[in-house]
Amino acid sequence: MISTGERAYSYAKACGIIGKSFVGKRIATLGGVSRLSELDRLVFPDESRDLPEKELLLDLEARITARAVKQILQIVDSFLKPPTLLSYLIRTYEYTDLKTALKAIEVGDQKPPAFTDIGHFRTVHFEAYPDLAAMVEGSEFGFLLKKRNMQNTGEANEHIMSIMLDRHYYASLWNALLALPPKDRVFTKKILFEEISLRNVVWALRLRTYYGMTPEQTRENLISLGNKKNLVADAEASLRMALDNRAGWNGYPRAHFLNPETPNEPWTADPRYFQNAASKYLYRLARLSFRRQPFSLDMVFCFIKLKLFEEDLLTSMAEGLVLGMSSHDVLSMLEVPA
């Protein structure tokens, strides 16, 4: 049972953090940045670094992630016994790092990738890299060992393993959600449902576009969560659409997430564009829902989603500046809603 005091404290703390974060109206302040060093001073006014640009990029991205994790942990650890849902939300970093490790193992890289420190929520022994068996010993990821041996090697295998982790993650997250009292998950359930549904469409587009999978093969890799057929409905409907005919998608419920046509150029469905558009939509849902149930776990869920969005935005901005893009170009390309 979460006390009223824990709920009130976490809400006050979360509001203070969000007020200083680059979400909502504060996104506009990024538009005045023209160099990576300026972004560093804006994001970390008391901790900016004097480094060559390439070194600064890696250092800045590491600090952006570390700060996001620290702030998320501050809110979650304000609960004496954090609900399982919150631990899985933090462990999105662990799942991402595990995907990175699997990719590195696949190509035979002996140097371990960088891993995000999520403190006591970590379950994977990343220090045992590249020994996958030792890495996942005692964790919930033992299934990877058997499945990995059953798959073919190569880039397609890497994506299949990523899909498997997505399916495992969202199943665990959904079960943890349903264990909460209904009053604590009003908006979380809606947003998570939308996230899984859209993730299914993204995977369907990727598998067909990049790997030429048939609708039957693609369908096998969707996140279904048992009998929740609506979670796969939009993805399954997309399997009937041609990837080179934009007009054929008219009437499709998620058509507004597709890349637009360009005059005098052939159109092809772009999974990356769809994913970015879906991310912006989910960000808006989290932002609008953040304060609607201030003392519920809905608030914490939305807070974490907003911090993850900010992290992606700032790292994208940093990478764009290094490539010579202006901050306005980066924001325009991402079509970030302020």
Side-chain angles (χ1 to χ4, degrees):
M1 180 69 71
I2 301 174
S3 71
T4 302
E6 289 175 307
R7 293 173 183 271
Y9 176 81
S10 64
Y11 178 61
K13 186 71 174 177
C15 285
I17 293 173
I18 290 298
K20 298 177 181 179
S21 299
F22 292 92
V23 296
K25 294 181 180 179
R26 289 204 76 219
I27 292 177
T29 62
L30 297 172
V33 172
S34 59
R35 297 178 61 85
L36 187 64
S37 57
E38 292 178 10
L39 178 65
D40 186 18
R41 289 193 294 271
L42 178 63
V43 178
F44 296 101
D46 300 323
E47 303 175 22
S48 58
R49 309 282 172 84
D50 183 15
L51 296 170
E53 193 169 68
K54 289 185 179 179
E55 293 180 32
L56 181 57
L57 175 62
L58 296 176
D59 183 80
L60 178 57
E61 289 184 329
R63 281 183 285 138
I64 289 170
T65 296
R67 186 175 72 171
V69 171
K70 179 181 178 180
Q71 292 176 334
I72 291 172
L73 288 174
Q74 285 178 345
I75 301 304
V76 175
D77 283 338
S78 65
F79 298 100
L80 184 61
K81 294 183 178 180
T84 303
L85 176 77
L86 301 187
S87 69
Y88 269 107
L89 288 171
I90 292 174
R91 288 180 57 216
T92 185
Y93 288 101
E94 183 174 60
Y95 276 78
T96 299
D97 287 345
L98 187 52
K99 290 179 183 179
T100 301
L102 288 170
K103 179 179 180 179
I105 292 172
E106 190 72 40
V107 298
D109 193 344
Q110 293 301 306
K111 182 180 178 181
F115 302 116
T116 304
D117 182 9
I118 57 173
H120 59 92
F121 290 98
R122 192 185 75 165
T123 67
V124 176
H125 308 290
F126 288 112
E127 67 278 3
Y129 179 92
D131 185 345
L132 182 59
M135 288 171 58
V136 302
E137 182 179 4
S139 74
E140 64 192 86
F141 300 113
F143 69 91
L144 288 175
L145 300 175
K146 180 179 179 181
K147 294 292 185 181
R148 182 168 178 260
N149 291 333
M150 292 171 60
Q151 302 291 340
N152 296 322
T153 59
E155 190 177 1
N157 176 52
E158 171 201 327
H159 279 74
I160 295 300
M161 297 292 279
S162 292
I163 293 173
M164 287 171 53
L165 282 171
D166 276 357
R167 294 173 70 179
H168 184 81
Y169 175 72
Y170 281 114
S172 301
L173 199 60
W174 188 262
N175 289 334
L177 169 73
L178 297 182
L180 297 175
K183 65 179 181 180
D184 263 327
R185 51 180 167 90
V186 176
F187 298 108
T188 299
K189 187 175 182 180
K190 175 184 178 181
I191 296 173
L192 186 56
F193 187 97
E194 287 289 272
E195 182 177 339
I196 298 172
S197 176
L198 289 167
R199 180 62 64 92
N200 274 328
V201 180
V202 171
W203 274 122
L205 289 173
R206 282 184 180 177
L207 294 175
R208 294 176 65 201
T209 300
Y210 301 145
Y211 303 105
M213 287 193 179
T214 65
E216 291 73 22
Q217 292 171 321
T218 302
R219 192 175 290 111
E220 293 175 359
N221 290 293
L222 299 179
I223 305 166
S224 61
L225 302 186
N227 61 355
K228 295 291 181 181
K229 293 184 178 180
N230 288 337
L231 286 171
V232 300
D234 290 337
E236 289 193 336
S238 76
L239 299 178
R240 299 190 293 270
M241 310 295 182
L243 295 173
D244 59 356
N245 180 14
R246 182 65 176 81
W249 293 77
N250 292 340
Y252 176 66
R254 305 291 192 176
H256 52 290
F257 293 119
L258 291 165
N259 51 301
E261 290 181 292
T262 302
N264 302 319
E265 291 186 13
W267 181 86
T268 302
D270 185 350
R272 290 169 296 182
Y273 185 98
F274 190 101
Q275 182 174 352
N276 288 337
S279 295
K280 290 180 291 183
Y281 166 67
L282 294 170
Y283 155 73
R284 287 196 298 269
L285 287 182
R287 186 184 166 209
L288 292 172
S289 303
F290 173 59
R291 290 183 171 85
R292 295 186 68 179
Q293 292 225 109
F295 302 122
S296 72
L297 292 179
D298 279 330
M299 181 277 297
V300 185
F301 175 88
C302 292
F303 169 82
I304 294 174
K305 290 298 183 181
L306 290 174
K307 293 306 299 182
L308 293 174
F309 169 83
E310 180 200 37
E311 180 188 350
D312 287 341
L313 172 62
L314 293 178
T315 54
S316 295
M317 178 66 70
E319 291 167 1
L321 290 172
V322 169
L323 292 174
M325 300 175 64
S326 70
S327 56
H328 289 288
D329 288 341
V330 175
L331 291 174
S332 176
M333 180 186 69
L334 296 174
E335 296 182 355
V336 178

